Amino acid sequence: MKRLVVETNERRQIERLVDAVLDEYGPWDPVQFVTHAKAVAESLPLRIRQFFRQVQSEETDVAVLSGLPLSQDLEPTPTGWDMAEKIGAGAREETVLMLCGAALGEPFAWGDQQHGRIVHDVCPAPGKERSETSGSSTAPLSLHTEDAFHQCRCDYVALSCLRNPDGIGTTVVRTDRLDLPPRLSEILSERRFHHRPDQSHIGPQGHSSGAAERDAILFGPPGSRYLRIDFDDTVAAEEGDHAAREAIAELHTYVSAAQEKVVLEPGDAIFLDNYRVVHGREPFEPRYDGTDRWLKRVNLIRDIRRVYIATESRSRVIM
Ligand SMILES: O=C(O)CCC(=O)C(=O)O
Ligand SMILES: [Fe+2]
């Protein structure tokens, strides 16, 4: 885990950069801007760029930037991402997250998630309280690696905090903190599992990929293993494979015991290595009065060509 606190002069530099982006590329349209984001991110403060270089080369599992700029006149928290999209809420904060994200990876999106938006809003939505989507609230968002169902899932999920008045925690489990028995690791490393799409991808045009493919849950270099798991949607590929089913349950016990809680404050952004961290969120009571918890989210991939191959085009939106 690594943290960098942005200093006042650096915050001003970021604010000036956001002004310049909104002037030059406005009205704000992340789909238009995203192809320029990496070049513009070269004008972020040097310490931030160096921080992300280290995060990448050291494979830092959890990285937090604190003290990012926030608008004085931030809108009330929208009641769901669709409302946020309609009114363009938090455009400056979106720009900040897109620029910081572009200093670490390449932003991309999913056609069936939040209308293919590059930057998502994570805020409670009426009717979604108990769903397995980021609009949930009273039900916990259960532990997952982001978009575990897809080969082209992100290397990092970035979440920036605009509001979190009740100190609701993002739950994180770092694979380095898991001490799995060798027998369990062995089963989890075998291609005995299906990673099914989660509820946020099952719409009328939702994805089905990943459902048929068999893969492991645990893989990668020894001593620093990678994980692919969504405890709601990863299942044994064979119905009769009791050992695989029990291995998922046993992993859940180990993962639950290793849970840590990160409470994001306004102006914080967290960058979770999606191969080395499983994450989720605590439950909370939504108020729908404009003061609810509100995050922005962006998916980052190290090599954008993986997305181009998945989309068979130069599009950053996987359909
Ligand atoms: O709300 C949070 O803290 C985490 C949400 C989450 O898992 C996500 O948006 O992918
Ligand atoms: Fe997530």
Side-chain angles (χ1 to χ4, degrees):
M1 188 146 356
K2 217 177 166 72
R3 182 185 287 267
L4 181 75
V5 180
V6 173
E7 290 171 357
T8 308
N9 60 328
E10 294 170 323
R11 190 160 41 253
R12 295 218 177 95
Q13 189 179 337
I14 299 170
E15 278 169 344
R16 284 195 297 272
L17 196 57
V18 171
D19 289 339
V21 167
L22 294 177
D23 270 0
E24 193 173 338
Y25 300 96
W28 174 240
D29 179 357
V31 176
Q32 294 300 319
F33 177 68
V34 68
T35 51
H36 307 283
K38 233 178 159 56
V40 176
E42 288 298 313
S43 298
L44 283 170
L46 179 62
R47 281 195 328 136
I48 293 182
R49 287 179 286 133
Q50 287 175 335
F51 176 74
F52 284 128
R53 287 270 185 261
Q54 278 169 5
V55 166
Q56 198 179 95
S57 60
E58 293 167 10
E59 291 197 282
T60 303
D61 44 17
V62 177
V64 179
L65 276 184
S66 292
L68 290 168
L70 280 175
S71 307
Q72 298 291 337
D73 51 355
L74 188 63
E75 296 92 339
T77 302
T79 46
W81 67 263
D82 43 352
M83 203 53 78
E85 181 185 37
K86 205 180 282 176
I87 60 172
R92 289 187 70 87
E93 287 68 27
E94 261 182 50
T95 314
V96 172
L97 182 61
M98 170 102 75
L99 288 173
C100 291
L104 178 61
E106 298 270 6
F108 73 101
W110 302 93
D112 59 0
Q113 240 187 15
Q114 300 202 7
H115 286 163
R117 301 166 79 207
I118 301 277
V119 184
H120 297 163
D121 285 275
V122 176
C123 51
K128 299 270 175 62
E129 289 83 358
R130 303 198 64 79
S131 68
E132 291 161 22
T133 73
S134 60
S136 71
S137 49
T138 52
L141 194 54
S142 53
L143 291 164
H144 59 281
T145 50
E146 204 69 12
D147 305 314
F149 73 100
H150 208 284
Q151 287 289 1
C152 205
R153 63 198 176 278
C154 61
D155 288 294
Y156 300 96
V157 53
L159 299 162
S160 67
C161 178
L162 283 62
R163 241 179 229 121
N164 190 11
D166 302 320
I168 307 307
T170 302
T171 41
V172 299
V173 180
R174 301 187 270 158
T175 58
D176 282 1
R177 293 292 176 98
L178 291 175
D179 193 13
L180 304 178
R183 176 194 47 80
L184 177 60
S185 296
E186 207 173 297
I187 298 177
L188 295 173
S189 304
E190 289 166 357
R191 293 178 182 268
R192 288 164 75 162
F193 305 92
H194 280 166
H195 299 280
R196 302 181 306 195
D198 61 76
Q199 269 185 13
S200 72
H201 287 282
I202 311 174
Q205 317 93 356
H207 283 271
S208 58
S209 70
E213 167 213 354
R214 280 162 181 261
D215 199 7
I217 288 174
L218 196 62
F219 56 102
S224 151
R225 305 306 306 277
Y226 300 150
L227 268 181
R228 175 182 191 184
I229 183 84
D230 185 328
F231 285 101
D232 286 325
D233 297 296
T234 299
V235 294
E238 295 292 337
E239 218 171 294
D241 189 349
H242 300 297
R245 216 168 56 214
E246 280 161 24
I248 297 174
E250 207 179 328
L251 176 64
H252 190 259
T253 307
Y254 279 91
V255 161
S256 302
Q259 269 187 79
E260 297 169 82
K261 177 169 116 168
V262 181
V263 175
L264 296 176
E265 303 280 342
D268 284 352
I270 192 168
F271 300 80
L272 301 169
D273 184 326
N274 198 39
Y275 283 73
R276 316 226 309 124
V277 179
V278 186
H279 70 279
R281 189 198 52 236
E282 296 181 316
F284 63 99
E285 285 299 325
R287 290 184 287 253
Y288 303 129
D289 63 355
T291 66
D292 279 319
R293 185 176 188 266
W294 182 14
L295 311 182
K296 295 271 180 187
R297 175 179 68 190
V298 68
N299 285 292
L300 303 169
I301 198 157
R302 285 178 174 220
D303 183 356
I304 195 64
R305 284 188 177 171
R306 287 177 54 208
V307 174
Y308 294 163
I309 291 165
T311 60
E312 296 182 348
S313 71
R314 278 248 158 74
S315 167
R316 283 171 186 250
V317 184
I318 303 176
M319 303 305 274

